[in-house]
Amino acid sequence: MTHDKQEKAGLPRGRFITLEGGEGVGKSTNVSFVVAELEARGIEVVQTREPGGTPRAEAIRELLLSAAEEPLDSDAELLLVFAARAQHLAQRIRPALARGAWVVCDRFTDATFAYQGGGRGLSFERIALLERLVQAELTPDLTLLLDMPLEVAEQRLAARLDRTKTSRDRFEQEQRDFFERVRLAYLARAEQDSWRVATIDADGSLDTVQRRIRLVLDERVQQWT
Ligand code: TMP
């Protein structure tokens, strides 16, 4: 739905921007960059992430990411992701958008299509059903998909884990073919929804990648403000 229609329908006024991509593509750094870019334009921004973004949703994140002994059933994983999302939308995202703030979210439902759909092989139709149930009309206005070859992403992830002395979470422990399916699912969504999803080549220096992001933001912000 366009922003005008959203306004007329009494739906959110703020803009909803999400960042997506596999592990190690530099999402966290670039989420902060997007927030700083928008704030420099005088926009009120709420920075958040999924799964998580509120205390209860962060508790669900812990269930999803911790590498416990008991296996987590894929359907349970899918429902937990959407349970966290429902809480996040109700407590944080919708209220922020309704008061006119922009929301910049590190991952959202494209990640569910990529990880639970592509990675785990769950049906895209069932995910779309839950998407409608939990989100109704609300979808991101803009999604920046950070993309790079898997080998580069894996090297960067390994370097970060080494630097921060953290161990791999439940998703980071997956094998290469899982991440290949995740990447393909992301790229397929970008192709299907090319107006909303801007694919950013993230294989380059931070400066180069951020210049690419700024170009997209400049164009969109100009259209919206
Ligand atoms: P992060 O490490 O980028 O914060 O993301 C946490 C993990 O959660 C990441 O490995 C991807 C996964 N995830 C899903 O599997 N489905 C989802 O819908 C979301 C939002 C994240």
Side-chain angles (χ1 to χ4, degrees):
M1 188 189 283
T2 65
H3 191 230
D4 290 348
K5 278 192 197 152
Q6 278 179 310
E7 262 184 2
K8 277 187 199 135
L11 285 166
R13 288 177 297 118
R15 295 292 175 181
F16 184 25
I17 299 176
T18 59
L19 275 89
E20 296 281 0
E23 316 292 321
V25 297
K27 251 178 334 86
S28 307
T29 314
N30 287 309
V31 165
S32 305
F33 173 73
V34 169
V35 170
E37 283 287 308
L38 296 175
E39 284 178 345
R41 293 165 168 85
I43 295 166
E44 183 201 348
V45 185
V46 171
Q47 176 179 347
T48 187
R49 70 170 179 182
E50 288 218 345
T54 81
R56 284 193 197 276
E58 289 287 331
I60 298 175
R61 177 189 178 91
E62 184 53 32
L63 280 176
L64 282 162
L65 265 58
S66 60
E69 226 168 81
E70 179 189 352
L72 182 58
D73 176 74
S74 296
D75 281 342
E77 179 178 289
L78 175 66
L79 292 168
L80 282 172
V81 161
F82 272 107
R85 184 159 301 136
Q87 183 71 7
H88 190 203
L89 280 165
Q91 295 296 314
R92 191 121 190 254
I93 297 179
R94 285 190 191 278
L97 293 173
R99 69 164 194 272
W102 291 28
V103 173
V104 175
C105 192
D106 185 340
R107 296 194 188 280
F108 197 63
T109 306
D110 291 304
T112 315
F113 282 97
Y115 281 77
Q116 281 66 50
R120 301 272 186 243
L122 298 184
S123 130
F124 290 114
E125 287 74 26
R126 283 170 68 209
I127 299 174
L129 205 73
L130 289 167
E131 180 184 32
R132 275 196 297 283
L133 179 81
V134 169
Q135 295 166 224
E137 292 291 338
L138 187 72
T139 50
D141 295 294
L142 170 66
T143 297
L144 299 164
L145 171 60
L146 303 182
D147 181 66
M148 64 171 59
L150 279 187
E151 317 73 78
V152 185
E154 172 53 33
Q155 280 167 14
R156 290 168 46 130
L157 172 66
R160 170 162 57 79
L161 293 170
D162 202 40
R163 206 171 49 243
T164 56
K165 306 256 176 300
T166 41
S167 48
R168 286 177 187 259
D169 66 33
R170 211 170 53 82
F171 289 101
E172 289 163 350
Q173 287 176 10
E174 288 294 338
Q175 300 303 307
R176 192 195 161 93
D177 57 337
F178 178 89
F179 292 110
E180 264 161 14
R181 294 195 298 276
V182 167
R183 185 179 183 211
L184 288 179
Y186 266 135
L187 291 172
R189 281 187 70 75
E191 207 175 294
Q192 277 162 20
D193 205 351
S194 58
W195 197 86
R196 173 179 64 86
V197 185
T199 305
I200 307 282
D201 175 4
D203 185 13
S205 71
L206 190 59
D207 247 24
T208 310
V209 174
Q210 294 189 337
R211 218 171 316 121
R212 291 174 184 146
I213 292 176
R214 191 182 288 120
L215 273 178
V216 175
L217 282 180
D218 277 343
E219 189 195 291
R220 291 305 177 92
V221 174
Q222 213 175 23
Q223 286 172 5
W224 290 337
T225 50

